[in-house]
Amino acid sequence: WRGKFNQEKFNLDILNLETFYKNKGYKDFQILQKDIVYNESGINIYLDLQEGELFYYNSISFEGNIKFSDNELLNKLNINEGDLYSEEKLNFSIYETITSLYMNEGHYFFNINKEIKPLNNNKLDIKFIISENEKVKIRKVLISGNNKTDENVIRREIKIYPGDIFNRENIINSIKQLFLLNF
């Protein structure tokens, strides 16, 4: 089972360790010190960890949202008050679920920032600051790099047209449809 020490893989393992703890509720997890000691029989790795406290969501609020109500956004967020903190789940909910929701409604320049405020009783207040910005329309649909078929065949398969309101889901579905046709 012996192998050579690989610094790059070790650094990746350290990042995976941090991710693991932060997804299990330890928001303030830190690695204070890393020591790698080489000796005759191999190496010893010493890590000085500080887990911190286990955190739970106390409240979740939104600011600046006009298009969707707080309840609609909370339902899409899929995080409830009292749930164990998970950095990965929180980020996925923000940058995939909520962002997709707005981008499917034409808000291409949508922006969301999170403020996390820890409370004394190992609870977190999360506040999302939303900037919806204006809806965007598609001006042009350009097709390039096509050698297999006529452009009108590709245009027939896509679900986006000039003048339409920007819709992320339609663009993704159009790309999937073209992929299935081997274009």
Side-chain angles (χ1 to χ4, degrees), residues 137-148:
K137 289 187 177 182
I138 296 172
R139 186 168 63 97
K140 289 183 181 180
V141 178
L142 303 173
I143 299 169
S144 65
N146 171 36
N147 299 354
K148 288 188 175 183

Side-chain angles (χ1 to χ4, degrees), residues 78-99:
N78 200 22
I79 295 174
N80 299 312
E81 294 173 2
D83 285 355
L84 186 66
Y85 172 80
S86 171
E87 185 175 70
E88 191 173 88
K89 185 176 180 182
L90 180 64
N91 287 335
F92 181 83
S93 294
I94 294 168
Y95 301 115
E96 280 299 316
T97 308
I98 301 295
T99 300

Side-chain angles (χ1 to χ4, degrees), residues 156-170:
R156 182 180 61 215
E157 295 299 325
I158 60 177
K159 309 248 186 296
I160 50 175
Y161 306 100
D164 285 354
I165 298 289
F166 177 83
N167 186 309
R168 180 179 183 261
E169 188 174 350
N170 285 348

Side-chain angles (χ1 to χ4, degrees), residues 54-114:
L54 196 59
F55 281 93
Y56 297 88
Y57 297 108
N58 183 56
S59 70
I60 300 169
S61 62
F62 298 90
E63 181 181 294
N65 52 312
I66 298 167
K67 181 78 177 173
F68 299 102
S69 70
D70 288 1
N71 286 336
E72 288 175 305
L73 293 175
L74 277 172
N75 288 337
K76 290 291 185 182
L77 196 60
N78 200 22
I79 295 174
N80 299 312
E81 294 173 2
D83 285 355
L84 186 66
Y85 172 80
S86 171
E87 185 175 70
E88 191 173 88
K89 185 176 180 182
L90 180 64
N91 287 335
F92 181 83
S93 294
I94 294 168
Y95 301 115
E96 280 299 316
T97 308
I98 301 295
T99 300
S100 294
L101 185 66
Y102 274 95
M103 287 186 132
N104 288 342
E105 294 290 325
H107 298 277
Y108 180 77
F109 296 107
F110 165 80
N111 190 17
I112 185 169
N113 293 310
K114 66 182 177 208

Side-chain angles (χ1 to χ4, degrees), residues 113-167:
N113 293 310
K114 66 182 177 208
E115 288 182 0
I116 300 175
K117 181 181 174 186
L119 303 174
N120 291 336
N121 54 357
N122 296 349
K123 303 262 182 173
L124 297 172
D125 282 344
I126 310 289
K127 181 179 183 182
F128 296 106
I129 301 166
I130 295 173
S131 177
E132 293 178 350
N133 294 315
E134 296 295 319
K135 284 187 174 184
V136 174
K137 289 187 177 182
I138 296 172
R139 186 168 63 97
K140 289 183 181 180
V141 178
L142 303 173
I143 299 169
S144 65
N146 171 36
N147 299 354
K148 288 188 175 183
T149 188
D150 291 331
E151 188 173 308
N152 64 339
V153 174
I154 293 174
R155 289 194 183 275
R156 182 180 61 215
E157 295 299 325
I158 60 177
K159 309 248 186 296
I160 50 175
Y161 306 100
D164 285 354
I165 298 289
F166 177 83
N167 186 309

